[in-house]
Each structure stands twice: as structure tokens, then as C-alpha cells.
Amino acid sequence: MNTSLLLQLLVNGVIVGMLYGIVAMCFVLIYKSTQVVNFAQGEFVVLGAWVCLSLVVSMGLPFWLAFLFSLVFMMVFGILVQVILLRPLVGEPVISVIMATIGLSIFMQATMNWIFGNNAVRFPQVFDQATVSIGGLNVETAYLMSLVLSLVVMGMFFWFFQYSRWGLAMRATAWNQQIAQSLGISVGRVFAMAWAISAVVSGIAGVVIGLVSAVSNSLAIIGIKVFPAVIVGGLDSIVGAIIGGLTIGILENLAEFVDGQYLQIGNMYSVAPFYVLLIILMIKPYGLFGTPDIERV
Amino acid sequence: MTMTADAPKKDDPAATSGDTILSLNNVEVVFNDVILVLRGMSLNARRGQITALLGANGAGKSTTLKAIAGLLRTEDGEITRGTVSYNDKDITRMAADRKVRDGIFLVMEGRGIVQDMTIRENLRLGAFTRKDADIEAEIAEVYKFFPRLQERKGLAGYLSGGEQQMLAIGRAMMAKPKLIMMDEPSMGLSPLLVKEVFGIIRRLNEELGISILLVEQNANMALKVADYGYIMENGKIVLDGTGAELVENEDVKEFYLGGGERRSFRNVKSFRRRKRWL
């Protein structure tokens, strides 16, 4: 057995899993606070990556500045999507809202194809050193950055929801919109804020993924890939989303290992998470971390 | 009918005397564009007093409170006619969050506690509209009012019904409102707890000077603490008077307090038959 390959793949799994985790978190954030299933999640990720890339490549901005600008752009974009597309749909049936986000996803795909082209584009060299050696393992600097950023984002989410005024407001809105309103919370603002945060964090994930591999429209598949993560986590649990993301990331890489070393089927990598998803849904239909309602009689 | 629908009620004593904090004038509320729930609802709540609004199930009591608080939109309801004014300012179409900022706070039916949050978090939510509040000091203040809440740990959802009601009232205190509207605070509580809750309502009114608009099914208790009472049926007020007057009223005794004598149906229904022209 090739131990070092296994270890390498596991480390990859954790890093990619964290990214899945934060994209899943974005998805859950929107679902939980606004009851919208965002099928354009993957496109949000890609858009962030494209904006950052084009700022670096065509405008020649330094990477960190471009990164910052692209996050500001994503924030504005998220708010606009909520205000223009989804606000008029408040109170409409779930299926209409789902159609709207699917439509948004197609629209964004087409527009990005048109503006940024069909090819994968790599970021120019961003870090001085391409790899860092940690305990004998060669870890790409981009991966390390990804890990650090993921942890920072998770930490910020935690702080936001535990201690900030608007974080509490968002949780109250998720619990019950009418109750939130009765406390003087503007639900419209909470919705816009949820989309803004989700878009910004998606943008972070997009840039990081773009750094690790390359930026292309096909990256939007991550929006579909996080579905198992989200559902394993239980659809309405942020912690669940992270753990779901990690699970899927590690499973993917384990599948790759088993496939490459023994089975030689090929492509187990992309299928395995969905098998696991099916099995988990059969055993625990509400996901591993779907919050049980407190019922008092 | 010859009088215009918007003319204020002339025979309402509260309308002409005393300092009115909140008044409803011929308010009509429609749900889903077709269901008429409030049909010309008018009432006045006076500053520094407890006003009770009584009535049977489905009379429109909760709708009245939600209309005042501006919470009808989430239920697809709308005020189609009439005005709500607060401190002589028209607030009929004001957004719900601005009303809270201006000092109107609704404690919703079923308490409206966020059950998957802790007690402290619920209290902090109460002060959401007050950015500069000294939250810690005020939470301590609420705990002084409700020592029982301080002892309890964990999620608010695990509190007993009475404790949840106290938490809901404590949360309302955090918003430092001038007018608290309470929707059936005694719902689902044991008689002893009901007594305690009404005691608290009285303390809010007397010690903190908060005006209170109280919606209740428990007419007996409500009229005991209320300075003035309204009785509504079918979306409008059918009877009003001071707490003491209403307790003595034969109709109220029969329908809401129990223990009235049995008489012929025709006589009992008197107040429903009395025409009240706007």
C-alpha cells in the first residue's frame, strides 16, 4: 500500500473538504435565513474567481487588492440578486423560487461564457514559493492559503452568529420571520445581508479554487457537488455543512485512492460522494445534523 | 348610513377624555384580498393605563394587534381602510421595525420566544433596535424582575410555559417600549401562573409606567387589572367601559365571566342587537 500517496490524498481531502464546507455554508445560510434553495451557488463561486482573475490579468492589480475588490463586487452582486430577483418572489411557492435560481444559474453561465470565454485560465504566479514542506509533506502554498482562509471564514461565521447584533437577528429571522419583525428586525435587510455574506464567501472560495486549479466555467459544478455535503449535514445546520463538506472531501480522495490502487474503474472520484449521500439519506433522512425541533407538550 | 365611515366615534368616553397613546379609527383588515376580518374597528388606549381587549375566538383580537404592529404582510393581510395613530401620529402604513423603534412592542400569542436560542440571546434580541443600549446592565435589570430566569440554563425552548411568558415579557422590557401589546399572556398557564403573570403586567404598568394593551380570553383576570376594557365580536367593538363597569355588565357576565343568571335568549343577546352606528 502506498502510504505517502494515501496521506497526501487525505490532506487534499481535508483541504478540499473545507472548501466544500464553506460553499455548503453559503448555501445553508441562504436556505436557512431566506428559505431559498440557491441553484446558482456554483456560479457565484465561479464569478468571484473570474472577477479576481480579470482584475489581476487585464488590469494588472496586485493579487491581494484584486481579491479585496472582487469581494466587494460579490457583496454588491449578492445584494442586487436578492433585491432585484428574489424580493418580488417573497411569498410565492417554493417551486417558483427554485425556477428563478435555476434561471439565474443559466443566465450567469451564459454571461460568463460570453464575457470571460470558454477556456480555463490559470492565475499568474501569486506566491513566491509554489509549495511548502510541512512534516515531510509537500503542500502547495495555495492549499495552505485555502486552509487558513477556510478556518478564518468559519471563525468569522461563528463570531457573527454568536455575538453580533445582526447575526442574532439573522438567526431569529431563520426561526420565524414574524417573530423577528415583532422585535424590530427588518427582514428585508436580513435577507439582503444573507445574500451578501453568501456571495462574498462564495467569492473567497472561488478565488481559492481558482488559485489551486484554474478558473473556468466548469468550476460551477462545485454548486452541485456541495449538495451531498449540505444534505449530509442536514440542510439547516451550519456546523453540519462544514462536517458534511469535510466528509465529502475526504471520501472523494479515499475513493480516488482505492480506485487508483486497486479497482481501476476510473472516475470513482466524482461518483462516490453521491453513493454515500444515498446511503446516509436512507438511514437518516434528515441528515446527520438536521436540528431536531424542540417539542414541548 | 348617512355618516361617513371615517368619522370618529362620538360616544366613546376614551376618545374625548384623557391622553390617548394609541387609537384605531374604523380600521378594516382584509386577508388574501377577500377575507374581511376587521370591519371598522375603533379603540383608544390611554397613556399609562392598562386597556383590555376581550372577545371570543376568531373575533379578530390578534389581528387587531398585528395590524397595529404592522405584521399583517407576512400573512398576506392588509389594512384597507381606517387609520392607526400613535401619539397623534398616523402610523397606519409605517414599517414594523420603525414602530418598534418608536416604542410599540408586541408580545405575540404563544410568546414568540426563539426556542433554539438561549435566554440571554433572546433578551439581547429584545434590545435589537437600541444600538447604544448597555445590554449587560439591562439584562441584570430584567433578571431582578424575573429571578427565576437567571437560574435557568440552556435553550429557551426547554423553559416551562410560564417561564417562556416571563422571558417574552423580559424581552419586551429590553426594547424599552412605551406601549406593550400582549396577546393572551395567560394562554396555557396554570391558574397560579396566570395570577403571577397578571401581577407582572400590573408591575410593568405601575413601576415602569408602560402603557399596556392587553388581549385576553381570561376576561375575569383581565378586567380586574384593566383600567378600561373593550369587547369585540366579529371584527368590531360591541361594548366598552371601565373595568369595573364591564364586570358588572349583565352581558359580559353571561358570555365572558360565567355565572350569569339564565334568561331568555332574546334578552341575553341584547348588546349584539344594539345597533352601533359609526
Side-chain angles (χ1 to χ4, degrees):
Chain A
M1 197 162 106
N2 190 342
T3 331
S4 77
L5 177 66
L6 178 64
L7 208 58
Q8 188 79 49
L9 282 173
L10 279 179
V11 171
N12 275 5
V14 169
I15 290 166
V16 175
M18 293 278 245
L19 279 177
Y20 286 161
I22 61 171
V23 177
M25 236 159 56
C26 297
F27 188 92
V28 169
L29 175 66
I30 286 182
Y31 176 74
K32 211 177 160 171
S33 51
T34 73
Q35 276 81 50
V36 171
V37 179
N38 182 14
F39 279 100
Q41 186 63 58
E43 279 73 20
F44 274 58
V45 172
V46 182
L47 180 64
W50 274 128
V51 170
C52 184
L53 181 79
S54 53
L55 284 176
V56 170
V57 173
S58 34
M59 297 189 58
L61 286 181
F63 172 72
W64 290 107
L65 207 56
F67 190 28
L68 208 67
F69 274 131
S70 57
L71 296 190
V72 173
F73 172 85
M74 288 308 287
M75 185 177 83
V76 175
F77 180 75
I79 293 173
L80 286 181
V81 166
Q82 204 279 326
V83 171
I84 295 171
L85 183 70
L86 292 152
R87 189 156 294 176
L89 288 173
V90 168
E92 298 297 324
V94 185
I95 192 75
S96 319
V97 181
I98 287 179
M99 292 309 286
T101 61
I102 291 178
L104 177 67
S105 138
I106 296 169
F107 173 77
M108 284 177 72
Q109 275 282 353
T111 315
M112 286 190 299
N113 251 332
W114 173 46
I115 297 178
F116 301 109
N118 239 337
N119 304 320
V121 184
R122 292 199 75 86
F123 267 94
Q125 180 87 14
V126 170
F127 302 106
D128 298 335
Q129 271 183 301
T131 60
V132 189
S133 163
I134 299 173
L137 282 174
N138 274 337
V139 182
E140 280 187 50
T141 318
Y143 274 38
L144 205 62
M145 183 185 114
S146 146
L147 193 68
V148 171
L149 276 180
S150 305
L151 287 172
V152 167
V153 166
M154 286 170 194
M156 277 166 66
F157 259 63
F158 179 78
W159 177 86
F160 179 72
F161 283 110
Q162 288 299 313
Y163 299 109
S164 80
R165 205 169 135 257
W166 278 100
L168 273 184
M170 207 170 274
R171 280 165 64 195
T173 309
W175 172 257
N176 182 319
Q177 287 175 22
Q178 204 175 39
I179 289 176
Q181 271 186 314
S182 81
L183 298 170
I185 295 165
S186 159
V187 172
R189 268 216 228 166
V190 166
F191 282 9
M193 198 177 282
W195 278 86
I197 293 174
S198 178
V200 167
V201 175
S202 303
I204 295 177
V207 171
V208 169
I209 295 168
L211 277 179
V212 171
S213 51
V215 185
S216 76
N217 289 327
S218 60
L219 278 185
I221 190 76
I222 193 172
I224 302 298
K225 273 215 176 156
V226 298
F227 262 103
V230 167
I231 290 168
V232 166
L235 208 58
D236 63 349
S237 158
I238 296 226
V239 180
I242 295 171
I243 292 175
L246 276 175
T247 313
I248 298 299
I250 292 172
L251 272 174
E252 255 185 9
N253 282 279
L254 278 181
E256 167 92 338
F257 178 74
V258 173
D259 190 20
Q261 298 287 305
Y262 306 108
L263 300 174
Q264 317 289 353
I265 303 171
N267 240 351
M268 272 274 281
Y269 181 79
S270 42
V271 185
F274 291 93
Y275 283 135
V276 176
L277 167 70
L278 282 179
I279 293 167
I280 287 180
L281 284 184
M282 278 193 286
I283 303 166
K284 293 203 76 171
Y286 295 105
L288 294 178
F289 293 88
T291 42
D293 281 336
I294 300 168
E295 276 182 41
R296 284 189 46 88
V297 186
Chain B
M1 226 193 310
T2 50
M3 291 176 89
T4 60
D6 291 329
K9 265 172 31 172
K10 292 284 185 333
D11 58 341
D12 184 348
T16 47
S17 68
D19 182 11
T20 304
I21 186 163
L22 178 90
S23 76
L24 265 68
N25 236 316
N26 269 310
V27 170
E28 224 177 65
V29 167
V30 172
F31 282 95
N32 297 320
D33 296 328
V34 284
I35 308 160
L36 185 62
V37 176
L38 296 189
R39 341 169 162 241
M41 172 81 188
S42 300
L43 68 77
N44 286 295
R46 271 187 282 176
R47 193 182 310 281
Q49 294 201 345
I50 301 180
T51 309
L53 176 59
L54 311 175
N57 277 331
K61 306 185 298 292
S62 298
T63 303
T64 306
L65 293 195
K66 283 177 187 165
I68 298 168
L71 298 181
L72 293 175
R73 270 244 314 263
T74 37
E75 297 174 2
D76 214 0
E78 196 189 357
I79 298 179
T80 48
R81 222 165 60 175
T83 53
V84 180
S85 48
Y86 170 69
N87 284 333
D88 297 323
K89 210 170 66 187
D90 185 355
I91 57 161
T92 316
R93 319 231 164 257
M94 192 189 266
D97 54 313
R98 276 208 48 209
K99 289 181 181 174
V100 176
R101 245 170 269 269
D102 281 2
I104 307 177
F105 199 96
L106 169 63
V107 178
M108 295 215 295
E109 190 173 1
R111 289 124 205 166
I113 291 299
V114 182
Q115 303 201 338
D116 62 358
M117 285 191 189
T118 63
I119 295 168
R120 287 184 69 85
E121 285 171 332
N122 266 290
L123 290 176
R124 276 170 56 203
L125 265 179
F128 177 80
T129 48
R130 300 170 52 240
K131 262 178 258 179
D132 48 350
D134 182 359
I135 305 248
E136 288 308 312
E138 283 173 25
I139 288 181
E141 200 68 25
V142 170
Y143 282 158
K144 240 186 261 166
F145 230 83
F146 304 105
R148 213 188 302 179
L149 289 181
Q150 191 164 16
E151 295 155 17
R152 294 298 305 259
K153 298 273 177 283
L155 295 182
Y158 293 116
L159 294 175
S160 72
E163 289 164 335
Q164 287 194 14
Q165 187 61 57
M166 287 170 198
L167 178 55
I169 296 174
R171 193 173 61 177
M173 287 166 64
M174 295 291 291
K176 293 255 181 290
K178 299 186 179 66
L179 169 72
I180 296 186
M181 303 189 281
M182 291 197 201
D183 200 347
E184 300 207 20
S186 74
M187 192 175 75
L189 300 184
S190 70
L192 210 62
L193 272 170
V194 171
K195 229 178 194 168
E196 199 177 335
V197 165
F198 276 97
I200 290 162
I201 293 172
R202 196 174 253 160
R203 277 181 69 197
L204 282 181
N205 178 244
E206 283 168 5
E207 292 175 24
L208 305 177
I210 301 172
S211 316
I212 289 169
L213 176 56
L214 178 66
V215 155
E216 258 303 334
Q217 297 257 14
N218 189 336
N220 214 342
M221 286 302 279
L223 289 178
K224 256 185 219 158
V225 299
D227 298 292
Y228 202 84
Y230 289 88
I231 290 180
M232 77 181 291
E233 223 173 73
N234 257 328
K236 58 178 146 193
I237 300 295
V238 289
L239 196 66
D240 61 58
T242 62
E245 276 169 21
L246 288 178
V247 171
E248 289 309 312
N249 185 294
E250 291 299 320
D251 293 333
V252 175
K253 271 188 192 167
E254 175 72 20
F255 285 112
Y256 297 100
L257 302 176
E261 287 170 44
R262 275 181 160 219
R263 276 156 302 146
S264 100
F265 188 63
R266 185 176 292 266
N267 296 332
V268 165
K269 295 280 281 185
S270 58
F271 79 74
R272 299 185 194 198
R273 305 174 137 263
R274 193 171 69 204
K275 283 221 164 73
R276 289 173 59 95
W277 301 109
L278 300 166

